Amino acid sequence: MMTSLYVKGLLAAATVASSMSFGALVAHANEKELTLCWATWDPANALVELSKDFEASSGIKMKFEFVPWPNFADRMLNELNSGGKLCDLMIGDSQWIGGAAENGWYVKLNDFFDEEGISMDAFVPATVTGYSEWPKNSPNYWSLPAFGDVVGWTYRKDWFERPEIQSAFKEKYGRDLTPPATFDELKQVAEFFQGREIDGKTVYGASIYTERGSEGITMGVMDVLYSYGFKYDNPEKPYDMEGFVNSDGAVKGLEFYKSLYDCCVAPGTSNTYMGEGIDAYKSGQVAMQMNFAFTWPGFEADPNVGGGKTGYLVNPAGPGGEQFAQLGGQGISVVANTDNMDGALAYIKWFAQKDVQDKWWSMGGFSCLRAVVEDPNFAKSQPYAQTFLDSMAIVKDFWAEPAYASLLQASQKRFHDYVVAGNGTAKEALDGLIADWTETFEDEGKL
């Protein structure tokens, strides 16, 4: 997931001058408190419980500052920019890395990782690139991958398996009702369920992202556009966007997203994101739901949709067979302005351990450690584990440029105006987006 605001800062860059054993780090920390900042959601609650093991082994008291997602970026980026002392550790969004590195908000961790034997090769490659690197695809690390996440789909497996529903679908479409593997199949299934009565209740085809205020509709639209051939820029010429952002495939992908919105969502869902999707799915309002993987443990535990009633899907393939998914998730960073550097580093060292990462997964955290996710037993450890693995293998991400918030604000407006408000054409929306992004990059001196 990303966030809604970027604030430029003037803090000086920080580095780790030295490193030491876990015990020595703890001793040097002098049992000070540590405050970890993150968003308010179920994984944060799991981390509080997990961190009790760190408190027991280190003697360092952990405090937590959690902020609801809609306010998380504004609150925390302002905190970082102002040089505040609230956070010692930050689990910030992937899109913050560029700004945090260039403005000195986070400690560069290369020396610490080298001296402590923490290898980035031990983590899922996509999470290293997405959460830790700046510049991208360079060995400069500003976080430890902490929470892997990706947009996928859930579907009402129990509805799909009902004989009367299967029969009705086959009669209408001439094929079996199966979990959709392509976007064309997904739309067909959504149309089939739209307005259908199940157990005396009218249900709808799908819940998709349409939220305007922060990042929601961008996360949803991009989850489709990638598989239709969209590229942020020319692979041979950075920031050259003409013919890539607005390619024929990208135009068709945006048209598809609008058609899915027009045909197959519940009434009144013009500003929906993660929370609204969870509610719609748990309440039995929709047959399918687009959402980040972090929601899946909660569905399994829910009395209405858990216990085998839910199936999990990798983001479908586009018309040409390409298949990608929008990356979410975050890394954990040491805030450069901390007064307890040794304690913060001790927490990073503790969190990177295999036994800690095993427990993190078992508690509902999505580990990025390869030794966890590549274990032969991992895929069978949860009903959604294999879908998570398959999804993380095909991720793409939004711009991680220091000016990402301006880029995001532009896409939010362009996509919402076209998909939800119905203004203009898909081609016009993407042409306008190129103009907006070009202006931002010119202001940044990139063009």
Side-chain angles (χ1 to χ4, degrees):
M1 275 147 289
M2 303 185 316
T3 40
S4 61
L5 180 65
Y6 169 75
V7 185
K8 288 188 177 181
L10 300 174
L11 301 179
T15 58
V16 180
S18 62
S19 186
M20 55 195 80
S21 70
F22 179 74
L25 283 168
V26 168
H28 200 258
N30 197 28
E31 298 189 4
K32 292 180 181 179
E33 293 181 339
L34 284 173
T35 298
L36 186 152
C37 296
W38 200 8
T40 302
W41 59 334
D42 288 345
N45 298 330
L47 189 63
V48 172
E49 291 301 309
L50 181 70
S51 297
K52 290 178 180 177
D53 292 346
F54 174 77
E55 290 180 318
S57 63
S58 69
I60 297 174
K61 173 66 176 176
M62 290 298 298
K63 297 174 65 179
F64 300 90
E65 184 73 19
F66 299 146
V67 179
W69 274 114
N71 311 110
F72 180 51
D74 290 359
R75 173 70 180 90
M76 291 306 170
L77 291 177
N78 276 301
E79 171 69 20
L80 292 168
N81 181 64
S82 67
K85 296 287 188 179
L86 174 63
C87 309
D88 301 293
L89 293 157
M90 177 74 73
I91 302 184
D93 253 326
S94 56
Q95 272 64 37
W96 299 11
I97 288 293
E102 295 193 7
N103 294 312
W105 295 341
Y106 292 166
V107 171
K108 187 177 181 181
L109 295 171
N110 287 57
D111 290 345
F112 176 71
F113 287 163
D114 289 345
E115 292 166 16
E116 297 298 340
I118 299 172
S119 171
M120 288 295 96
D121 291 339
F123 293 86
V124 175
T127 68
V128 176
T129 300
Y131 310 152
S132 300
E133 293 179 353
W134 188 262
K136 294 299 178 187
N137 301 308
S138 74
N140 295 282
Y141 307 120
W142 305 89
S143 79
L144 184 88
F147 188 89
D149 207 358
V150 59
V151 177
W153 294 78
T154 52
Y155 69 97
R156 287 299 299 265
K157 185 179 178 183
D158 55 337
W159 294 357
F160 277 50
E161 292 175 346
R162 292 189 183 185
E164 69 276 16
I165 290 178
Q166 291 179 338
S167 176
F169 184 88
K170 189 161 189 176
E171 181 178 346
K172 184 172 184 178
Y173 295 106
R175 69 176 183 90
D176 291 335
L177 174 58
T178 57
T182 67
F183 278 115
D184 285 343
E185 290 178 358
L186 185 141
K187 185 180 177 184
Q188 192 176 74
V189 171
E191 288 175 327
F192 171 77
F193 278 102
Q194 183 75 2
R196 184 166 294 274
E197 185 174 302
I198 297 179
D199 297 335
K201 178 180 178 180
T202 299
V203 304
Y204 301 94
S207 171
I208 63 175
Y209 292 161
T210 58
E211 183 262 358
R212 168 68 176 86
S214 62
E215 62 172 18
I217 195 166
T218 298
M219 294 291 92
V221 167
M222 296 316 307
D223 203 48
V224 172
L225 260 59
Y226 295 138
S227 297
Y228 274 77
F230 172 100
K231 291 181 175 60
Y232 285 102
D233 54 7
N234 184 344
E236 304 300 323
K237 187 179 179 183
Y239 311 111
D240 175 21
M241 295 172 282
E242 183 64 39
F244 296 90
V245 167
N246 60 350
S247 66
D248 290 344
V251 170
K252 291 178 181 177
L254 187 53
E255 290 172 343
F256 174 86
Y257 200 86
K258 177 170 175 54
S259 74
L260 190 61
Y261 173 76
D262 289 342
C263 79
C264 302
V265 302
T269 54
S270 60
N271 193 40
T272 58
Y273 196 21
M274 297 176 285
E276 292 82 6
I278 293 170
D279 292 343
Y281 188 73
K282 283 185 175 181
S283 66
Q285 188 179 39
V286 294
M288 297 180 294
Q289 178 227 196
M290 161 191 281
N291 221 328
F292 285 99
F294 86 87
T295 61
W296 299 348
F299 294 145
E300 279 302 300
D302 187 82
N304 294 322
V305 297
K309 296 178 182 177
T310 290
Y312 302 91
L313 294 176
V314 179
N315 198 43
E322 288 190 292
Q323 188 173 18
F324 299 100
Q326 173 60 48
L327 181 70
Q330 304 88 33
I332 182 169
S333 300
V334 176
V335 177
N337 208 33
T338 177
D339 286 330
N340 190 359
M341 183 70 70
D342 292 318
L345 293 171
Y347 188 92
I348 296 284
K349 183 176 175 65
W350 167 83
F351 189 72
Q353 297 175 98
K354 168 67 161 56
D355 60 337
V356 175
Q357 289 293 305
D358 280 329
K359 190 170 183 180
W360 181 222
W361 168 252
S362 72
M363 296 175 71
F366 282 71
S367 175
C368 304
L369 191 68
R370 291 176 61 186
V372 174
V373 302
E374 293 177 1
D375 185 290
N377 297 317
F378 179 85
K380 298 179 181 178
S381 64
Q382 295 288 352
Y384 48 79
Q386 186 63 57
T387 304
F388 173 68
L389 287 178
D390 294 342
S391 297
M392 291 300 293
I394 60 168
V395 292
K396 287 181 177 286
D397 201 9
F398 191 77
W399 296 106
E401 295 282 332
Y404 90 91
S406 295
L407 304 169
L408 177 60
Q409 289 163 358
S411 63
Q412 283 289 103
K413 182 180 189 307
R414 295 289 182 180
F415 291 155
H416 200 274
D417 283 354
Y418 170 68
V419 172
V420 176
N423 296 330
T425 67
K427 179 67 161 56
E428 289 168 345
L430 293 172
D431 288 346
L433 190 56
I434 290 177
D436 296 339
W437 285 355
T438 296
E439 182 178 354
T440 295
F441 288 130
E442 287 175 344
D443 291 343
E444 291 287 298
K446 301 289 178 69
L447 287 173

